[in-house]
Amino acid sequence: MRVPRELEIALNGPVGPQRLRDDTIVIDEDGWYRTLTPSSSWPASNEVLFSNLNERDADSEIDAIVAEYHKLGLPLTWCVYPWTRPWDLGKRLLARGATQSVIQAFLGSTNLPLQVVDGVEIEQVNPASMEAYEAYMNVMISCYRLPADEEAFRRRRYHQLSIGPEPSLRLFVARYKGVVGGCAAMVIKEDSAHFTGDCILRAFQARGLFVSLHAARLRVLRDMGISLASGHGNEQSAFWAKGFGFKTLYSYNIYQLNPPAAVG
């Protein structure tokens, strides 16, 4: 059965080069898409995005995949959608000690009538400007509390992806009355974009930075001739995106399984 284009865009939104380290192994076959990164303990670097379990022996297959990550001391995150089989996969992962997060996937037209709020200035980061690039990185690192190795990786990778005549990653900084208070990014796809990395520092919330970052990215996409933008976020960010005119296509759960704590 052919997947509707809008659903396909939302599903594949998180798939992109921004997550891939030099040693990341990508398993993309037989209905599976997962990544394994021996050098990284960051959960999103070790993820089952799509799975295709054999329902007749699902538990053995689950245990084998979890063991593959845990024997390397790595966490594993597993995405479970409303249509994922077996239907009780989430319960099986919880029984193995997983924690659960609810995520919503949303999609919107780049013609949504959003405007940058008065008092807010949005700058698309020129990676040649180390001042602007550092401003973006500092806000992002502060919001996500990145460990040192993940911070170092993103500094290198984001710069690589945001340079050149047609960069696949676009970075944005939000200032309120001249002071940096937020950031956001988007990954450029073939005929769409994926919004990611939205972050507003606590002291600058409720100042219009979030909607202004959306408005600025939509304007850039219109200028590029791209008509659709997707995003995946928690219930709070999805609530605001819906208020801006995006529509939620589906909700899903991410289950995180950490490796057993070392003894001694």
Side-chain angles (χ1 to χ4, degrees):
M1 183 177 67
R2 183 174 177 81
V3 177
R5 182 58 183 150
E6 288 192 351
L7 179 58
E8 184 181 14
I9 288 172
L11 279 171
N12 290 307
V15 178
Q18 74 278 7
R19 294 186 176 190
L20 304 181
R21 299 195 184 201
D22 291 342
D23 65 333
T24 298
I25 300 166
V26 178
I27 297 90
D28 183 9
E29 59 186 9
D30 300 327
W32 289 84
Y33 184 95
R34 61 186 179 98
T35 57
L36 188 152
T37 308
S39 66
S40 176
S41 61
W42 186 249
S45 296
N46 297 284
E47 180 177 52
V48 176
L49 189 60
F50 304 125
S51 56
N52 184 26
L53 291 164
N54 181 346
E55 293 194 58
R56 290 174 294 182
D57 195 21
D59 283 315
S60 295
E61 201 169 356
I62 293 168
D63 289 338
I65 291 172
V66 173
E68 182 180 1
Y69 290 83
H70 283 185
K71 72 181 180 182
L72 297 175
L74 301 174
L76 166 64
T77 56
W78 198 312
C79 299
V80 177
Y81 308 92
W83 54 84
T84 300
R85 294 293 179 268
W87 64 270
D88 62 346
L89 176 56
K91 290 183 179 180
R92 299 188 196 208
L93 295 173
L94 289 172
R96 289 167 169 80
T99 56
Q100 176 184 3
S101 301
V102 179
I103 303 296
Q104 294 188 30
F106 50 88
L107 189 76
S109 166
T110 59
N111 286 322
L112 290 172
L114 301 181
Q115 300 293 330
V116 174
V117 174
D118 288 343
V120 176
E121 176 189 356
I122 305 298
E123 177 184 0
Q124 183 173 344
V125 174
N126 179 348
S129 167
M130 291 311 298
E131 180 181 358
Y133 188 71
E134 282 299 311
Y136 171 87
M137 293 301 304
N138 289 338
V139 174
M140 189 265 294
I141 291 165
S142 175
C143 279
Y144 291 100
R145 299 180 181 179
L146 301 178
D149 70 316
E150 181 66 17
E151 175 186 339
F153 162 69
R154 293 197 189 192
R155 284 185 181 277
R156 294 191 305 272
R157 190 62 169 147
Y158 284 17
H159 192 267
Q160 292 170 351
L161 296 175
S162 60
I163 60 177
E166 296 183 359
S168 60
L169 183 66
R170 309 293 176 99
L171 308 177
F172 297 80
V173 170
R175 292 182 173 84
Y176 179 70
K177 296 184 177 179
V179 181
V180 175
C183 70
M186 64 181 178
V187 181
I188 306 300
K189 306 283 187 170
E190 182 180 352
D191 59 353
S192 66
H194 183 68
F195 285 5
T196 185
D198 295 68
C199 178
I200 309 299
L201 297 176
R202 184 177 296 275
F204 295 89
Q205 293 177 3
R207 299 288 190 274
L209 276 68
F210 193 37
V211 67
S212 297
L213 284 163
H214 275 67
R217 284 178 290 181
L218 293 177
R219 183 177 64 245
V220 170
L221 293 174
R222 287 195 298 271
D223 291 342
M224 296 174 66
I226 293 176
S227 62
L228 291 172
S230 66
H232 289 211
N234 59 26
E235 292 181 322
Q236 182 180 14
S237 61
F239 169 82
W240 285 109
K242 186 176 180 179
F244 298 158
F246 288 77
K247 60 181 179 181
T248 299
L249 296 186
Y250 58 89
S251 298
Y252 65 102
N253 295 306
I254 295 180
Y255 296 88
Q256 181 169 328
L257 289 148
N258 293 323
V263 177

